[in-house]
Amino acid sequence: MTRKIAIFDTTLRDGEQSPGASMNTEEKLIIARQLIRMNVDVIEAGFPISSPGDFKSVAEIGRIAGDRCTVCGLTRAVDKDIEVAAEALKTAKRPRIHTGLGVSPSHLHDKLHLTEDEAIERAIRAVKLARNFVDDVEFYAEDAGRADQDFLVRIIEAAVKAGATVVNIPDTTGYNLPWHFGQRIRDLRERVDGIEDVTISVHTHNDLGMATALALESVRNGATQIECTINGLGERAGNTSLEEVVMAIRMHGRELDAHTDIVTQELCHASKLVSSITGINVQPNKAIVGANAFAHSSGIHQDGVLKARDTYEIIDPADVGAAGSQIILSARSGHAALRHRMSELGYTFADDEFESIYQAFLEVADKKKEVYDEDLESIVHERERVSKAIWTLDAVQVSCGFPLTPTATLTLVDESGEKHTVAAYGTGPVDAAYKAVDEIVKVENDLSEFAIKAITRGIDAMGEVTVRVTAASGEVYTGRGSDNDIIVSSTKAYVNALNRLISDQREHAA
Ligand SMILES: [Zn+2]
């Protein structure tokens, strides 16, 4: 039997730190359910002291995870952080506190203003305090990739002695070459007293495009936990991508003496879900989950694949769930068929909730002949956006063409149910609609990105619009909207972004 490699998913913590990827609790719960279904070993659910929203997400995810996976909360090596994380993790059956501090010269001297001995003392104190609350404590040595190796050995040994059960060696800045980083891991295994009793974890970033290589080289040298995210989301160039390391281990398990317990058939679904919730699209040529990962366009390649798949394809698309669903619903599909497909996609609803989903489904099915999984997901997400809205779109009508001046008449409903109607003109129909929204909502912002894509196939496909707006504070908010009419989806997306901006400002003001 090969070594089991634990998959520690940090999509909801490090992944959420991608600009514009912030998610609310409901959205995090949808992703967490998918992670549980995929069998990840650990979910890093948030950084509880950072905001009430993060605290709540960690607590809620702890509640749904049960004993199916460990739920982890991040802290600095600060007493208050650890106490708050312990409080948030009370709902979890398998709680883990993830604590630590920077260990590279630049982190110690420029950021923390600590001597090496003071840093070791602080590490010991944090691990011991965390152990008072939970049995499972992971210690991270931030920026270990650029640390003095002798000091790294000392601080890791101190953390292990203080009671850490997992030690996380991050290449926080994605600076290393794979074999150098692997050498660090091997050296720790050889020199740290007691390391054989704890799990060695690695957390690598993709600044040089080598996050996956760094993680695999670490596994070769003794790491048995990989920290990663769906689609490689994360700070800057992102984290190690979950789908890449899982499939590489699956393909080369014997060579690596490693296996994971991930249900690989769920990988493509997870990728689409995260992309749809965060509004961050996956590049088409992305390994494993990109839209073109299994597309063969040259005639020679097509011919080869048709004769024998493995001439040009090393992975069977079905193994990662890329074969696509054959199940298509239509206006004739009844409640039972819809409920069944929704539950296969991971969505369950109370009866009264389900009725409104069914009505929304019928509306889409009326306009389109065939309703795909992607359409169903967008129905669920659209409904969630509306249910928490501060402003909701009631009506929008545009007139445009050549040589007209594009004009929009628009009605929004506020939280008290009052309707506000204005008309505005602009350089195009979307611009006119957005000017009308601005006139009603009156929130200062800059529209920094506007992207539109078809969710499914055909001319009648639902169009999903993603916008990013930058608030006066500099914070970036993503908004999404979907509809068969692109003017409607564009307006919904903009209103959604402004709703997020306003509710975030309220949360911070509170
Ligand atoms: Zn990171």
Side-chain angles (χ1 to χ4, degrees):
M1 190 66 174
T2 52
R3 291 173 303 157
K4 154 80 184 270
I5 306 300
I7 295 297
F8 175 113
D9 181 278
T10 184
T11 306
L12 302 177
R13 202 279 300 166
D14 211 325
E16 203 208 10
Q17 287 169 226
S18 311
S22 67
M23 299 170 245
N24 59 38
T25 303
E26 277 82 351
E27 291 168 332
K28 286 186 180 173
L29 280 168
I30 294 172
I31 294 176
R33 284 194 200 97
Q34 175 65 19
L35 295 172
I36 294 167
R37 211 166 25 243
M38 283 167 67
N39 251 339
V40 305
D41 300 277
V42 186
I43 296 177
E44 185 160 57
F47 183 7
I49 202 162
S50 68
S51 76
D54 258 43
F55 183 95
K56 189 172 162 214
S57 301
V58 172
E60 295 288 321
I61 292 168
R63 213 185 301 281
I64 64 163
D67 49 21
R68 292 194 57 190
C69 71
T70 297
V71 176
C72 176
L74 183 75
T75 76
R76 293 166 296 182
V78 170
D79 291 4
K80 186 75 188 157
D81 281 33
I82 296 166
E83 287 156 13
V84 170
E87 186 63 33
L89 286 165
K90 272 189 176 158
T91 52
K93 273 210 172 121
R94 287 165 48 187
R96 176 184 294 178
I97 292 177
H98 191 188
T99 190
L101 73 170
V103 300
S104 63
S106 100
H107 278 243
L108 285 177
H109 307 136
D110 304 333
K111 183 175 132 184
L112 300 165
H113 309 293
L114 293 176
T115 65
E116 291 186 349
D117 288 337
E118 286 165 342
I120 289 175
E121 262 168 51
R122 195 179 284 193
I124 294 170
R125 179 185 171 93
V127 171
K128 283 191 170 158
L129 177 63
R131 277 300 299 260
N132 285 343
F133 296 109
V134 295
D135 295 331
D136 189 7
V137 172
E138 175 167 337
F139 174 76
Y140 66 83
E142 190 179 3
D143 205 14
R146 294 189 298 171
D148 171 69
Q149 183 71 9
D150 292 336
F151 173 61
L152 185 62
V153 167
R154 281 174 63 211
I155 198 163
I156 292 296
E157 190 166 291
V160 171
K161 279 213 181 79
T165 47
V166 182
V167 290
N168 171 12
I169 314 301
D171 189 17
T172 307
T173 54
Y175 164 77
N176 281 256
L177 287 168
W179 45 95
H180 290 160
F181 197 63
Q183 186 52 43
R184 279 189 184 270
I185 304 294
R186 174 172 297 271
D187 183 69
L188 289 171
R189 265 182 67 210
E190 284 165 2
R191 290 168 63 196
V192 172
D193 220 19
I195 196 134
E196 59 284 358
D197 302 324
V198 306
T199 299
I200 300 176
S201 181
V202 287
H203 176 114
T204 53
H205 276 268
N206 208 33
D207 297 69
L208 290 172
M210 289 193 286
T212 298
L214 289 162
L216 294 176
E217 190 62 20
S218 305
V219 165
R220 231 161 66 89
N221 285 285
T224 54
Q225 176 177 285
I226 296 176
E227 311 199 355
C228 47
T229 60
I230 305 287
N231 297 339
L233 220 57
E235 285 273 12
R236 306 182 312 278
N239 286 66
T240 309
S241 122
L242 182 148
E243 53 278 5
E244 290 174 17
V245 286
V246 164
M247 289 312 288
I249 289 173
R250 184 175 153 131
M251 188 133 306
H252 296 290
R254 212 175 305 168
E255 160 86 22
L256 290 164
D257 178 29
H259 70 274
T260 74
D261 288 341
I262 297 297
V263 182
T264 60
Q265 292 77 8
E266 290 287 338
L267 290 173
C268 279
H269 180 221
S271 166
K272 282 186 190 141
L273 189 66
V274 168
S275 153
S276 144
I277 287 181
T278 58
I280 297 178
N281 294 333
V282 175
Q283 74 193 63
N285 56 325
K286 166 85 174 64
I288 318 293
V289 294
N292 295 346
F294 299 100
H296 302 277
S297 64
S298 97
I300 295 170
H301 286 214
Q302 286 176 347
D303 182 56
V305 169
L306 289 176
K307 285 181 179 142
R309 188 185 55 76
D310 63 8
T311 46
Y312 287 102
E313 219 169 68
I314 58 165
I315 296 169
D316 182 347
D319 283 348
V320 296
S325 156
Q326 295 309 310
I327 298 170
I328 300 165
L329 300 180
S330 73
R332 289 179 307 281
S333 306
H335 283 75
L338 179 65
R339 198 187 267 280
H340 179 73
R341 190 63 200 143
M342 283 286 195
S343 79
E344 281 178 343
L345 293 173
Y347 302 108
T348 49
F349 304 98
D351 285 346
D352 52 331
E353 259 186 319
F354 182 72
E355 193 47 45
S356 75
I357 292 280
Y358 187 72
Q359 291 309 322
F361 160 75
L362 283 183
E363 260 177 53
V364 171
D366 265 349
K367 291 183 203 161
K368 297 186 75 204
K369 281 183 234 73
E370 297 170 324
V371 182
Y372 298 93
D373 289 348
E374 292 84 348
D375 295 316
L376 296 181
E377 265 160 8
S378 104
I379 291 170
V380 175
H381 298 160
E382 190 59 49
R383 186 177 155 281
E384 257 149 33
R385 291 196 275 271
V386 170
S387 70
K388 290 184 304 286
I390 293 165
W391 291 96
T392 17
L393 178 66
D394 186 59
V396 59
Q397 221 176 14
V398 296
S399 58
C400 58
F402 181 77
L404 279 174
T405 299
T407 312
T409 310
L410 172 130
T411 305
L412 295 182
V413 182
D414 67 20
E415 285 162 294
S416 68
E418 195 189 327
K419 288 188 176 182
H420 305 252
T421 302
V422 299
Y425 60 87
T427 51
V430 174
D431 184 51
Y434 282 24
K435 289 216 163 82
V437 171
D438 284 339
E439 213 170 294
I440 299 174
V441 177
K442 293 189 175 68
V443 174
E444 200 189 321
N445 75 85
D446 268 324
L447 182 69
S448 43
E449 205 178 315
F450 177 93
I452 185 161
K453 72 169 193 195
I455 298 175
T456 45
R457 292 139 271 196
I459 191 77
D460 58 355
M462 300 249 282
E464 184 176 69
V465 172
T466 304
V467 299
R468 274 183 244 289
V469 301
T470 309
S473 63
E475 201 76 36
V476 178
Y477 297 90
T478 302
R480 283 175 305 278
S482 53
D483 196 274
N484 297 77
D485 181 321
I486 57 167
I487 300 295
V488 177
S489 42
S490 301
T491 312
K492 281 178 174 174
Y494 187 49
V495 173
N496 178 236
L498 296 183
N499 280 335
R500 284 167 167 256
L501 188 164
I502 297 165
S503 71
D504 195 51
Q505 283 178 347
R506 283 187 189 166
E507 193 176 287
H508 280 99

